[in-house]
Amino acid sequence: GEGGAVNLLMTQPRRISAIGVAERIAAEMDSTCGDLAGYSIRLESKKSARTKILVCTTGVVLRRLENDRNLRGVTHIVVDECHERDLDTDFLLIVLRDLLPKRPCLKVVLMSATINAQIFKDYFGNCDSIHIPGRTFPVTSYYMEHALQHTGFIVEENSEYARRDGEY
């Protein structure tokens, strides 16, 4: 196939997410992080000449665009968590929309678990979309009181952690 020609950039909104996703992708590819899949975050990167999937923070991709406005060599860009509306992501979407007419072979994938896809379809000129049905899981909220009760821990009256009258 043409898998060897792929050079995919994936954005993550946070540094820890970029590292975790890169490590997971590398494990799924039966590789080590930094070989076929790697990451690049501010002041740190783990990649090689063999890296085909590079997970970056959105800011790192914007910095790359300063030096290479056409993202030469990149075949795919995946913007994950695109529903997280921040200045960097919004600006990246503007740049990508303007770049697509100049790079018609560039594939852009926007991903979100909670997105209103129609807004992005309209913004990108009625592009295709795929809906993958998911499932929800019940969530139970636990608070400090539950942890204290479950563990049997007792906060002594004179402890610095004890609640005093009128304090919250």
Side-chain angles (χ1 to χ4, degrees):
E2 296 182 31
V6 168
N7 186 1
L8 186 144
L9 279 181
M10 174 184 281
T11 68
Q12 288 292 321
R14 286 167 294 285
R15 297 165 52 96
I16 192 76
S17 301
I19 294 169
V21 169
E23 289 174 345
R24 173 67 186 264
I25 291 170
E28 295 285 336
M29 297 175 74
D30 197 25
S31 180
T32 58
C33 188
D35 186 25
L36 295 175
Y39 65 85
S40 181
I41 58 177
R42 185 170 39 97
L43 304 176
E44 183 181 346
S45 67
K46 201 170 195 180
K47 60 183 180 175
S48 69
R50 289 175 31 97
T51 301
K52 298 295 181 186
I53 301 173
L54 187 64
V55 185
C56 309
T57 54
T58 308
V60 167
V61 175
L62 290 174
R63 175 73 73 186
R64 183 169 173 171
L65 279 160
E66 286 180 4
N67 297 320
D68 180 9
R69 293 184 185 259
N70 292 319
L71 291 175
R72 284 183 297 269
V74 175
T75 59
H76 300 74
I77 185 155
V78 177
V79 182
D80 197 3
E81 306 293 354
C82 64
H83 65 278
E84 292 193 16
R85 301 296 306 276
D86 64 6
L87 189 61
D88 285 350
T89 303
D90 284 356
F91 188 70
L92 178 61
L93 293 176
I94 291 167
V95 171
L96 290 175
R97 184 189 64 179
D98 292 347
L99 179 60
L100 283 171
K102 300 173 196 166
R103 293 271 324 273
C105 290
L106 178 67
K107 304 298 182 203
V108 175
V109 178
L110 308 179
M111 294 192 325
S112 170
T114 60
I115 195 171
N116 176 352
Q118 192 60 49
I119 292 170
F120 290 91
K121 284 179 68 169
D122 293 343
Y123 184 73
F124 278 90
N126 200 30
C127 61
D128 293 333
S129 70
I130 299 170
H131 173 76
I132 301 171
R135 49 192 166 194
T136 59
F137 297 92
V139 175
T140 304
S141 297
Y142 292 101
Y143 300 95
M144 181 60 75
E145 294 80 14
H146 298 113
L148 294 175
Q149 184 179 21
H150 182 72
T151 62
F153 185 83
I154 297 173
V155 178
E156 300 293 331
E157 211 174 291
N158 58 354
S159 166
E160 66 180 297
Y161 302 110
R163 186 172 169 186
R164 313 271 191 275
D165 286 340
E167 291 183 18
Y168 294 99

